[in-house]
Amino acid sequence: MVENFDPNTIEKEPLLMVLSHPEILLHNNPAELGARQCVRKRDVSLQARTTEGIGAWDTFQTLVGTANKLGVNMYQYFHDCITQTNMLPSFAQLIEDRANALPLSASWSHVP
């Protein structure tokens, strides 16, 4: 693979985007940590036995990971959803609020 590497064929624009948008992370550690947790859980539990079980397990792990990243107590969130008290905002609302709070307008307003 190294023999076939030609640095002149690399698309440089996506790689240099971080220079005009400093808010872009230079690493993907949060995503990697979430994936690592899921893989470790899968290895320990030996996976689910049915397709539905695998889907439910993946959904639950995604919800737990999202709750952790948003700083939401998962037990309280599930209780709020099951009892339909709607005391807590939805994940979608929390994510939208965080996205709106990010200072992205300065660098993204003049995208070439």
Side-chain angles (χ1 to χ4, degrees), residues 20-97:
S20 58
H21 302 290
E23 67 278 356
I24 296 175
L25 296 175
L26 294 176
H27 55 79
N28 66 344
N29 286 348
E32 287 290 330
L33 290 174
R36 188 175 302 130
Q37 178 185 9
C38 288
V39 169
R40 181 69 185 132
K41 172 76 170 122
R42 184 188 65 217
D43 291 345
V44 170
S45 67
L46 301 175
Q47 198 57 273
R49 296 179 186 215
T50 65
T51 304
E52 293 83 8
I54 292 169
W57 182 81
D58 285 342
T59 300
F60 183 76
Q61 290 298 314
T62 301
L63 288 171
V64 169
T66 302
N68 288 338
K69 288 178 184 177
L70 294 173
V72 174
N73 181 306
M74 199 67 218
Y75 175 78
Q76 291 175 349
Y77 189 79
F78 278 144
H79 184 268
D80 188 66
C81 290
I82 292 168
T83 59
Q84 297 182 350
T85 56
N86 298 323
M87 299 296 290
L88 298 174
S90 67
F91 282 168
Q93 185 62 50
L94 290 171
I95 292 169
E96 184 177 344
D97 292 346

